[in-house]
Amino acid sequence: MKFIKKLFFTTLFIGLVAPFLILGYFLSEFNYDISSLIEYNPPVTTRFYDKNGEKIANIFDKEHRYYATFDEIPPRAVEALLAIEDTTFFEHPGINVDAIFRAIIKDIQAGKLVEGASTITQQLVKNRLLSREKKISRKVKEVIYSLRVEVALTKEEILERYLNEIYFGHGYYGIKTAADGYFHKKLSELTLKEMAILVGLPKAPSTYTPTKNYEISMGRANRVVSRMYALGWIDEDTHNRALLEKPIVFDDTLTQNSAPFVVDEVLRRAQELGIDDIKTGGYEIYTTIDMRLQEAAGDSLKKAYDMSIERMKSYKIDAQTLEEKIKLLNGAFVSLDSKTGDILALVGSVDYQKNSYNRATQGRRQPGSAFKPFIYQVAIDLGYSGVTELVDIAKTYTYERDGEVITWQPKNYEEDYQGVLTLREALVHSRNLATINLVSDIGLGQVVKELKKFGMSNIPENLSLSLGTISLSPLELAKFYTSFSNEGVQVEPNLIRYIDKKEKRVYEKQESSKFITKKTQAYIMTSILKDVVERGTGKQARVDGIEIAGKTGTTNSNVDAWFAGYSPTVQSVVWFGNDDNTPMYRMETGGRIAGPAFAMYYKRLIELYPQIQRKFDVPDGIIAVDINGKKEYFSEISKPPRAESKANAEEKLLF
């Protein structure tokens, strides 16, 4: 009897004292740094939005996480979590002693660690500070960490960190991320059943993920709901309705990147702004993009590309050559708000998955005749008008390059000559020889000087400039074209409206513009470019119901094909060409391949925004004159012809 009594007290002593001895040992031997939980700053996903607030993409490094403050988390979601994971959370000091002893007994019976007894605090510690190995030493550390965390943080702060740190399956970290990913909802919009699904996930995310195991996930959620009912936290009616609910679950990709060229360009620009934590800083980036127009631009580009492929197939070429040509052909599309410079659509290739190189911003190619309006604008600003006569005849030019005498004999695309024609007709029909002679008449040096006012650099200082031998990206060309579309004021393209981080503004766009020419002079150009579309080389860009002004461009041997144009409010540029700078087939001109893409886009534009301005405004100071039954436009600079020299001229000032 004495032996049994002694054994009892010895065992009791060991049971009571041993835990304190073990804790004392671990406290003295290890440094328990909980600063990463106190100063909690997890990697947070950056989100991209279009101008209407529609999400474009998520960008993150390793963990996809939206951060939610405690105030954002619905109280009912907290109750659901506590019901299934830690009912006495607000009562214990970080560990649940009763649960620990129950677990110890089961572990002893099994001869190994089989039963968990972790509180929410312990789970947070385990996820943030410790490994997942099942050892006594780790469990002791977990207890010590948890006790320290409970002293340093409030219960609400612990819950906030837990619900942002824990993994919810499908690549979602944090409850806010999971709510958005699984249900496309804000936390405040979740139903009880949806909350129950989410809080049931951390125990075994791969098992309970609703995108893979929907019925198992529903069963787990129902246990959460029933536990809440058993605790008296919800009434019977709420309980029964929740059990019957079958939420719709979405199986999205994590990035949800619906405009990859836009995202890539924004990332590049953010880096230029000095933002080096763009993938982990939790920024909210609001772009100028209109996702409906972005989709329209991509679809239009692809359809025009497919039409070109079909034309190629009709040519008599061998299968291998055809396949090579198909692989090489590509395109780009950029669209701006003419007044603000806001980029509405940006498409850098026909298929991002096949080639992510952004031809809209990085591909610098020769615009060919799409460059001619800048030369003609120089002439108009010097007093030329639409009825000024130009000479359309062939000439031979000689010049010296690197000590060698070069002979240049340019010709018109149609390989004919018209002798004398008006400035308007020369541009409407894209007459090369008339344009070269115009530059000669003004003086090459004067033309180059005036072109620099547009902000152009690397301008070729020879007559080939007349045919658009300067290299520009589609976005650069679009920027320069705003000099016409924005009534003589060039605007800098914007892609980012503003950037927020934790509800603080870290960047906001600054609109930039510069005066190029008077409204009247820009309108004269617009009137000519309208004719290009109505009856000239740009007829395939014409759209019923809206006025379009623009210019085609096709470089030598059909290497590049362009259409640059605008409606009263929207400016766009389309480019097509082979990626290796080899010629496309001869039929693939700017009007043939790029024009239809432009037209398809603008048809979609007026369907989406039927209230959009359809006709160009005529500025004060424009003088409309009927000459031989045709209306021509003049100004104080580009003066109308004298009445006595034009028998059929009738002058009328428009206000």
Side-chain angles (χ1 to χ4, degrees), residues 101-114:
F101 276 108
R102 286 197 304 270
I104 289 174
I105 292 171
K106 289 189 177 181
D107 290 344
I108 291 173
Q109 290 173 341
K112 58 182 179 179
L113 291 174
V114 296

Side-chain angles (χ1 to χ4, degrees), residues 269-300:
R269 295 188 181 203
Q271 190 174 28
E272 290 179 352
L273 293 171
I275 301 175
D276 54 8
D277 62 339
I278 193 71
K279 292 186 178 182
T280 59
Y283 295 92
E284 292 188 313
I285 300 178
Y286 292 84
T287 71
T288 60
I289 293 295
D290 183 321
M291 277 307 299
R292 289 179 288 184
L293 294 181
Q294 176 73 15
E295 182 179 347
D299 289 346
S300 299

Side-chain angles (χ1 to χ4, degrees), residues 550-603:
K551 184 69 185 74
T552 56
T554 308
T555 58
N556 284 344
S557 302
N558 298 64
V559 171
D560 299 284
W562 301 76
F563 188 84
Y566 51 96
S567 69
T569 58
V570 177
Q571 155 78 55
S572 302
V573 170
V574 184
W575 168 84
F576 277 97
N578 289 336
D579 280 334
D580 64 349
N581 283 293
T582 57
M584 298 179 289
Y585 283 93
R586 181 168 174 77
M587 295 300 292
E588 303 308 303
T589 62
R592 186 80 181 275
I593 186 172
F598 183 96
M600 285 185 278
Y601 174 76
Y602 277 77
K603 286 175 184 175

Side-chain angles (χ1 to χ4, degrees), residues 336-339 478-489 491 522 525-526 529 549 565-572 616:
L336 313 179
D337 182 307
S338 301
K339 306 300 180 187
K479 167 188 169 180
F480 295 138
Y481 257 72
T482 62
S483 305
F484 314 133
S485 62
N486 192 34
E487 301 180 304
V489 178
V491 290
M525 174 55 64
T526 293
L529 295 180
Y566 51 96
S567 69
T569 58
V570 177
Q571 155 78 55
S572 302
F616 291 102

